[in-house]
Amino acid sequence: MSFDLVITAKKIITMDEKNPIATWVAINGDKIAAIGNETSVPEGKKILDLTDKIVTTGLIDSHVHAAWTGILGSSANLLEATSAKKVLDIVAERCNSTKEDLVLAYGYLPMMMEKGILVTKEDLDKISNGKKIMIINVDMHGSTLNTEALNSLDFPKNIEGVNYETGILSSDTAHFIALMGMLEQIDNEKLEEMMDNFVNQALSLGITTVHALEGQTTKSNKDIRIWQRKLDSLPIHMILYPQIWDYEAAKEFNLPRHGGCLTLDGADVQWTMALYEPYNNKPETRGLLYHSDEEVYSLVSKAHTDGKQCSFHAMGDRAIDQILSIYEQVIKEQGDKKLRHRIEHFTLPTDEQIKKAAELGIVVSAQPEYTYLFDVPGGHLLEYFGKERTERMECYKTWIDSGLVFAGGSDAPVNGLNPLSGIYALVNSTKPGRSMSVTEALKCYTLNCAYAAFEENERGSTEVGKYADFTVLDRDPYLEPEDIVNFKVEMTIVNGKIAYESK
Ligand SMILES: [Zn+2]
């Protein structure tokens, strides 16, 4: 008997406890048919010789805003700009070189601007060359617009967080309305092209499955609609999470899950994370809960009745409490249907919340790149949250040791899409509550993600009968854990097909 494809490698990391390492895997169609360790390799109609490479079970990203990652990937890049002048130079360059009527720029970090001087509407008007300009903060929770762009939007009267003088949008509500307005102004063909760019980017980073959290910043859910049409023909495996507050409106998509990054609170540096105790550097505020308990309860209760998994964004301890209490109440009322309800971010839980989440079978999706980038000595987190709270932020290792299922993700475009930087952060953190073994870290980006979407019997490890998804690396994470972030992805295989190959 001959298999369709046989892959040989220096090492295959399987994520299967019974058989953690192999040297060859045989594939029939899109599924794994046999795995082995012996030097004698079975016959295959095709042989893929990767004997100088390390193959791991395909990596999964459990939290991506896929359409927006595509859109912002093609926008002007402000990540390196540390002064208002530099920002304006980059944006002016784009305004003068593009034919498009709308200029988006992404990666703006107001708090990092030299001398605290921010970009204003007036500055942007001077360089706009007649275009609409929106510059978007790196955390996706604020933006600055020029006059043309502001005029193209329809803000409700008395909305908070819109400064018509400076063009700065400082509330999530205002910023989301602006994003929504801009997305509507990108025509479908262009949008689809950007979405395809996202898929190619993800594949080039070794990602074989994405949990795409879409909607919320569109008027018509057009991103969900486009993805759903393309789903079967995509070279990547995609699970769609519909971020729609209106439960009935989401029914047309006929998905077994509801929500995604539906924001219960805001973000850290915007002082909008819902906290029990005030921010250290803004004692008059303890952040915001955006929705009433009744509204969230109503959504969760309906979804639970229909047997759908739910998912919400909750960063602060007060927001985590809101959603945990509601999950607990609904489970008590309707019974535990093992729906694996999710909490996204889970940035600042208390010990009791971690324990309760584990008891309720909650799945947490968080982004280790956040701590890799920001939790540095003398960094801004300490200023915002103080020592005790910074200590209990994002303790991934404590979570998994408490029995919580933690699925790794990027939150792209808020963070970079590269899963290796997340795995690197998990392995190399200097905090005991965070650092874990290479095997544990890989599990967070494979099997745990598959579990988070009810796919652990189909994906997430290299076992007979599962889909043939692999990420091929140039080096071995067990031998060079301190350099994982710099590994090169040589190839990405999805459903037994080569979906990306490095040149
Ligand atoms: Zn998100």
Side-chain angles (χ1 to χ4, degrees), residues 397 400 423 426-427 435-443 478:
K397 172 67 173 164
I400 59 170
I423 293 166
L426 292 177
V427 173
S435 75
M436 55 179 78
S437 70
V438 170
T439 305
E440 286 170 324
L442 287 172
K443 194 174 166 198
Y478 290 95

Side-chain angles (χ1 to χ4, degrees), residues 75-306:
S75 69
N77 183 348
L78 303 177
L79 284 168
E80 307 282 314
T82 51
S83 71
K85 183 179 176 313
K86 191 84 212 16
V87 169
L88 291 167
D89 286 347
I90 295 168
V91 177
E93 209 278 317
R94 182 60 70 101
C95 288
N96 293 328
S97 61
T98 181
K99 287 196 191 74
E100 305 292 328
D101 170 51
L102 170 64
V103 170
L104 296 173
Y106 172 66
Y108 180 47
L109 196 53
M111 58 178 285
M112 294 293 280
M113 289 300 111
E114 221 173 87
K115 295 182 187 150
I117 300 171
L118 303 183
V119 175
T120 66
K121 182 181 84 169
E122 213 174 307
D123 299 330
L124 293 173
D125 283 344
K126 281 183 199 147
I127 58 158
S128 72
N129 195 19
K131 319 262 180 199
K132 293 172 217 149
I133 305 173
M134 179 176 188
I135 64 173
I136 301 169
N137 296 5
V138 70
D139 63 7
M140 284 290 277
H141 289 270
S143 47
T144 308
L145 284 72
N146 73 338
T147 304
E148 297 262 355
L150 275 174
N151 288 346
S152 75
L153 297 170
D154 214 0
F155 289 110
K157 279 208 180 72
N158 305 325
I159 185 168
E160 256 181 73
V162 182
N163 188 325
Y164 289 97
E165 300 274 291
T166 61
I168 295 173
L169 307 184
S170 56
S171 74
D172 271 354
T173 320
H175 174 66
F176 281 5
I177 289 173
L179 285 176
M180 217 183 268
M182 294 308 159
L183 190 74
E184 293 305 313
Q185 293 176 40
I186 302 171
D187 72 67
N188 277 4
E189 203 179 317
K190 181 87 194 154
L191 181 60
E192 220 172 299
E193 199 182 295
M194 292 167 170
M195 289 160 90
D196 289 339
N197 289 344
F198 160 77
V199 171
N200 291 330
Q201 193 198 350
L203 289 169
S204 76
L205 293 167
I207 299 169
T208 56
T209 294
V210 286
H211 298 180
L213 283 44
E214 309 294 280
Q216 187 161 240
T217 48
T218 69
K219 277 190 186 132
S220 52
N221 298 311
K222 75 172 170 181
D223 50 353
I224 303 179
R225 235 173 280 281
I226 295 174
W227 284 129
Q228 208 160 38
R229 175 164 52 73
K230 290 163 80 79
L231 225 43
D232 290 338
S233 60
L234 289 177
I236 202 165
H237 179 58
M238 182 181 277
I239 299 285
L240 273 174
Y241 278 82
Q243 307 184 122
I244 302 169
W245 277 102
D246 179 349
Y247 186 74
E248 299 306 317
K251 280 190 171 163
E252 70 161 291
F253 299 110
N254 205 16
L255 291 162
R257 56 196 88 87
H258 191 94
C261 212
L262 284 177
T263 40
L264 298 179
D265 65 343
D268 47 0
V269 298
Q270 306 285 328
W271 297 283
T272 47
M273 243 167 90
L275 305 170
Y276 280 120
E277 301 297 327
Y279 273 94
N280 284 49
N281 58 356
K282 211 172 195 185
E284 69 275 20
T285 183
R286 48 187 204 124
L288 295 169
L289 283 178
Y290 292 146
H291 297 268
S292 68
D293 291 352
E294 292 70 35
E295 189 183 351
V296 181
Y297 169 81
S298 152
L299 195 56
V300 172
S301 170
K302 284 179 200 159
H304 200 90
T305 302
D306 291 345

Side-chain angles (χ1 to χ4, degrees), residues 63-65 213 243 260-261 313 344-345 367 411-412 414:
H63 186 128
V64 182
H65 304 291
L213 283 44
Q243 307 184 122
C261 212
H313 158 125
E344 309 300 305
H345 308 303
Q367 302 82 39
D411 202 14
V414 180

Side-chain angles (χ1 to χ4, degrees), residues 367-374 396 409 415-418 421-422 425 445:
Q367 302 82 39
E369 197 187 70
Y370 173 86
T371 47
Y372 163 62
L373 291 174
F374 299 120
Y396 319 107
N415 297 313
L417 192 56
N418 184 3
S421 69
Y445 278 83

Side-chain angles (χ1 to χ4, degrees), residues 43 69 95 139 169 235 275 303 324 329 360 392 470 501:
E43 268 180 55
T69 305
C95 288
D139 63 7
L169 307 184
L275 305 170
L324 267 183
Q329 187 186 345
L360 294 172
R392 67 176 158 91
F470 305 104
E501 204 173 351

